[in-house]
Amino acid sequence: MNVPELLAEATQSPFGKGALTVVNTTVRDSVELPASSLNADTLASLVRELTPKIHRKEQMAGLELRPYKLVLYQEGGHFDAHRDTVRGDGHIGTLVLVLNSDYTGGELEIANRGSVKSLSGPYQWAAMYGDCFHRILPVASGTRVSLLFDIYLAPGGCLRPSTDISTLRAEQARLVAAVQAELQSHEAVSICLEHMYPAAQAVPGYLKGRDGVLFALLQEAFIVEVVHATV
């Protein structure tokens, strides 16, 4: 991998801020090349290798990996904590593949449900939902090179609950009883979900992780609707 050659062709990385796309190196200091400028055969080979790895859990069937861009963080380069921009109706997450070891620092930190996981080093990868907060810590030396892939739910696909609800009958009984108690004095009950969803994904088939489990447990006893609320 010729890092100087890549740096010569790369442009400063922007990031999404509301409806805008901006460049601010105090928030994100990196450079990038679009996937379209990279070797198509190599990218296709990586997609074939990585796709089965994100299908290891049953609820992750029907996902597609699409090459997005190559990102380089030089010494001092970083990206503050953020959520990813949704780049299409079926876009649910990102896979990050670190390519080289000629750097120090620059760890990818992913926060989810109160825990933080860290990733660094050559040919390490992480797949995450786009609404998970994550950041790139400052690179201490060298240049960190990584490939980003968008994760899409294939047309007609459906995420499944992350747990077999047949094993949760006791929890289901308590949940149903609590909702029934609320319905004694209210016409409906609203429950906030754990993940964030764009409007196009406010449907049962896109519910992630424990959100999918919650919906599956409730729909056996009630009429349940997923409603999108702007946050």
Side-chain angles (χ1 to χ4, degrees), residues 154-173:
C158 178
L159 296 179
R160 301 182 180 90
S162 57
T163 303
D164 182 358
I165 64 171
S166 67
T167 66
L168 302 175
R169 293 308 179 191
E171 289 82 352
Q172 183 183 36

Side-chain angles (χ1 to χ4, degrees), residues 63-122:
L63 301 183
E64 295 178 352
L65 279 183
R66 302 181 187 178
Y68 179 36
K69 60 186 175 183
L70 183 82
V71 184
L72 302 96
Y73 290 86
Q74 299 178 79
E75 186 173 333
H78 67 283
F79 196 175
D80 292 350
H82 64 284
R83 293 185 174 97
D84 286 339
T85 300
V86 178
R87 286 180 283 277
D89 288 349
H91 181 223
I92 64 169
T94 302
L95 185 147
V96 179
L97 171 65
V98 181
L99 295 181
N100 68 330
S101 60
D102 303 325
Y103 71 96
T104 60
E107 295 86 354
L108 166 63
E109 287 190 346
I110 306 169
N112 185 37
R113 289 166 48 184
S115 67
V116 177
K117 296 191 176 183
S118 181
L119 174 76
S120 183

Side-chain angles (χ1 to χ4, degrees), residues 13-27:
S13 297
F15 60 92
K17 186 177 182 181
L20 302 176
T21 299
V22 300
V23 172
N24 182 345
T25 56
T26 63
V27 175

Side-chain angles (χ1 to χ4, degrees), residues 5 53 60-61 64 84 86 90 125 133 140 152 156 160 165 171 175 185 188 205:
E5 184 177 319
K53 298 181 186 297
M60 292 302 174
E64 295 178 352
D84 286 339
V86 178
W125 65 271
F133 269 115
Y152 279 77
R160 301 182 180 90
I165 64 171
E171 289 82 352
L175 178 63
S185 53

